Amino acid sequence: MASLDFEREESRFRAFYAAQRPALEEACAAFTATIADVVAAARSVDVSKVEGRVKDVDECVRKFTRKYRPGLEESNTPYEIQHWITDLVGVRVVCLYEDELEKVAQIVRSHFAVIDVTDKASAVESTEASFGYKGLHLDLRPGRRDLPALAAHAEQPFELQVRTIIQDSWSVLDHKIKYKKSIPGQLKRRINVLSALFELADREFRQIRDETAAELLQAPDETVEAGAEMEDTSASSKPSALGSELNAFTFLKIATHFFKDFEFDPAKVDSFVDDVQAWSPGITRARFNTLMRETVGTVKRYKQYFEEQNPEGSFNPYTVIRHCLYLSNRTVFRPALRNVARESFEAWLADNV
């Protein structure tokens, strides 16, 4: 029965916690796995990690003492501590970009009953006594029958935190700042400035993502123009950060024209373009496009021959491009092919070209 005796209620809560700990751990594992599954199935957000935890008993007592005990005792309202700790079980989803927080929230709303939502990302704490921002918090409970793995935990509420990597990093560091209320004004100001820099980094990462995507969409499609080797310098041409050089963006624009069904991995593209620039410093996107148009037909014929002779061999688009580069200038692009591949290609060229 609820009371105003804190020592009694703390003892009862600790006994309750000890008895419930195994069930809380099971619920935490089930919630974490389910959240990870439903977010992954949506395929609309880039998630860094999904993790769960059962709140430490001492932390629960400190939270109650700090947030709820003064008001309850002031109003002479009896209490049981466990009724005031809604985040005994917590799950955290860490996204890459800040505009994905609400996307995750929408996904989980379709699978769980929402008890409460706190948007701590839009209300940045900037007073002298508190620092930082903490993302989006949702108090949830299993709400749908299509999640049988959660049937045993249907009455267990839990807290879902949705943060970006930057917000998560700030939160970790923020917890390490001791004696926040006693920090001198100048130190508080410096910490607030640092908090603002973290928030700015979040926005910059999102804008870089958006502008990168925009560059790929805006890159001129040189492959459809016979005079592609001439750069468009007319006043009506749309300015682009791409420039005239061959870089990852212009490479992808050209390469995906020749290999429409191939998915180019960004990391491999970066590495490959570095190699091409090392072999031919200053190569432009127009020059790369031209040499591809001039040689790809011959190389595709060789590819067909190679695959007939080597059923287990690999001749992917990168291999095609390497052969195209070599065929365009056998001196400059000699490093594009290894000795065995170069000798085989030369032997075929001698008989077929």
Side-chain angles (χ1 to χ4, degrees):
M1 184 175 180
S3 73
L4 287 169
D5 186 337
F6 176 73
E7 290 185 358
R8 176 192 175 194
E9 293 305 323
E10 179 183 359
S11 177
R12 292 178 63 193
F13 174 72
R14 289 183 180 276
F16 163 83
Y17 183 95
Q20 293 297 313
R21 182 67 191 240
L24 293 172
E25 293 286 359
E26 290 181 9
C28 181
F31 293 149
T32 303
T34 301
I35 292 288
D37 288 344
V38 299
V39 171
R43 297 186 177 183
S44 58
V45 293
D46 291 320
V47 172
S48 171
K49 63 181 176 180
V50 180
E51 58 188 6
R53 63 98 182 98
V54 174
K55 200 177 191 74
D56 178 75
V57 65
D58 292 331
E59 189 178 350
C60 292
V61 173
R62 286 195 296 270
K63 178 178 179 178
F64 175 81
T65 302
R66 182 180 70 254
K67 293 187 67 174
Y68 306 115
R69 180 185 174 188
L72 290 168
E73 294 184 353
E74 177 69 23
S75 62
N76 204 36
T77 303
Y79 55 79
E80 292 181 72
I81 294 175
Q82 63 263 33
H83 295 156
W84 294 89
I85 307 299
T86 59
D87 61 343
L88 271 172
V89 175
V91 179
R92 181 176 301 152
V93 177
V94 180
C95 307
L96 299 189
Y97 305 104
E98 62 179 354
D99 60 353
E100 294 177 328
L101 303 184
E102 184 55 37
K103 291 180 183 178
V104 172
Q106 290 294 340
I107 293 168
V108 300
R109 282 188 181 106
S110 66
H111 293 277
F112 294 87
V114 179
I115 302 169
D116 192 22
V117 177
T118 305
D119 186 354
K120 295 189 177 183
S122 62
V124 179
E125 299 172 343
S126 58
T127 67
E128 286 190 350
S130 59
F131 319 116
Y133 58 103
K134 301 174 183 178
L136 189 63
H137 292 194
L138 299 90
D139 291 332
L140 304 171
R141 179 181 283 113
R144 285 180 53 170
R145 296 178 181 177
D146 62 347
L147 298 174
L150 303 184
H153 314 291
E155 300 305 315
Q156 177 64 55
F158 70 101
E159 181 188 68
L160 174 67
Q161 298 179 354
V162 191
R163 296 173 175 169
T164 66
I165 291 178
I166 299 294
Q167 290 171 347
D168 194 47
S169 298
W170 171 259
S171 180
V172 172
L173 294 171
D174 183 47
H175 284 311
K176 297 298 183 182
I177 300 173
K178 299 181 183 296
Y179 315 115
K180 294 181 182 180
K181 293 184 178 180
S182 301
I183 289 177
Q186 276 297 100
L187 283 180
K188 290 177 182 178
R189 182 176 181 278
R190 288 168 60 185
I191 294 171
N192 284 330
V193 169
L194 183 59
S195 171
L197 290 175
F198 270 69
E199 184 179 0
L200 179 61
D202 241 342
R203 294 179 183 177
E204 284 296 308
F205 274 119
R206 175 177 55 80
Q207 290 174 4
I208 289 171
R209 178 205 62 188
D210 293 344
E211 291 176 18
T212 296
E215 290 292 355
L216 288 174
L217 292 174
Q218 295 173 8
D221 192 352
E222 296 119 334
T223 57
V224 300
E225 307 233 0
E229 62 274 9
M230 299 297 293
E231 296 295 334
D232 184 1
T233 57
S234 65
S236 63
S237 61
K238 187 172 183 178
S240 169
L242 291 172
S244 63
E245 77 279 3
L246 181 70
N247 55 39
F249 305 110
T250 49
F251 171 86
L252 279 173
K253 188 67 176 179
I254 296 168
T256 52
H257 171 84
F258 291 103
F259 309 99
K260 292 181 173 62
D261 298 325
F262 186 77
E263 185 173 347
F264 287 88
D265 178 76
K268 290 184 178 179
V269 168
D270 265 341
S271 178
F272 188 77
V273 172
D274 278 347
D275 287 341
V276 175
Q277 291 171 335
W279 300 330
S280 179
I283 185 172
T284 65
R285 64 189 187 193
R287 178 59 188 156
F288 176 73
N289 175 66
T290 299
L291 68 85
M292 285 295 298
R293 286 191 294 106
E294 291 175 347
T295 61
V296 72
T298 300
V299 173
K300 284 186 175 181
R301 285 165 50 211
Y302 174 67
K303 176 180 181 291
Q304 182 178 358
Y305 162 81
F306 178 88
E307 291 175 339
E308 290 172 353
Q309 300 299 312
N310 304 274
E312 303 301 321
S314 174
F315 213 105
N316 62 38
Y318 287 108
T319 307
V320 172
I321 296 171
R322 286 175 176 274
H323 282 75
C324 288
L325 292 169
Y326 175 76
L327 185 57
S328 72
N329 190 319
R330 302 182 193 190
T331 302
V332 171
F333 292 109
R334 183 180 178 86
L337 297 180
R338 295 183 178 180
N339 290 340
V340 173
R342 188 167 56 248
E343 290 168 4
S344 175
F345 190 32
E346 286 287 3
W348 181 87
L349 288 170
D351 294 334
N352 293 276
V353 178

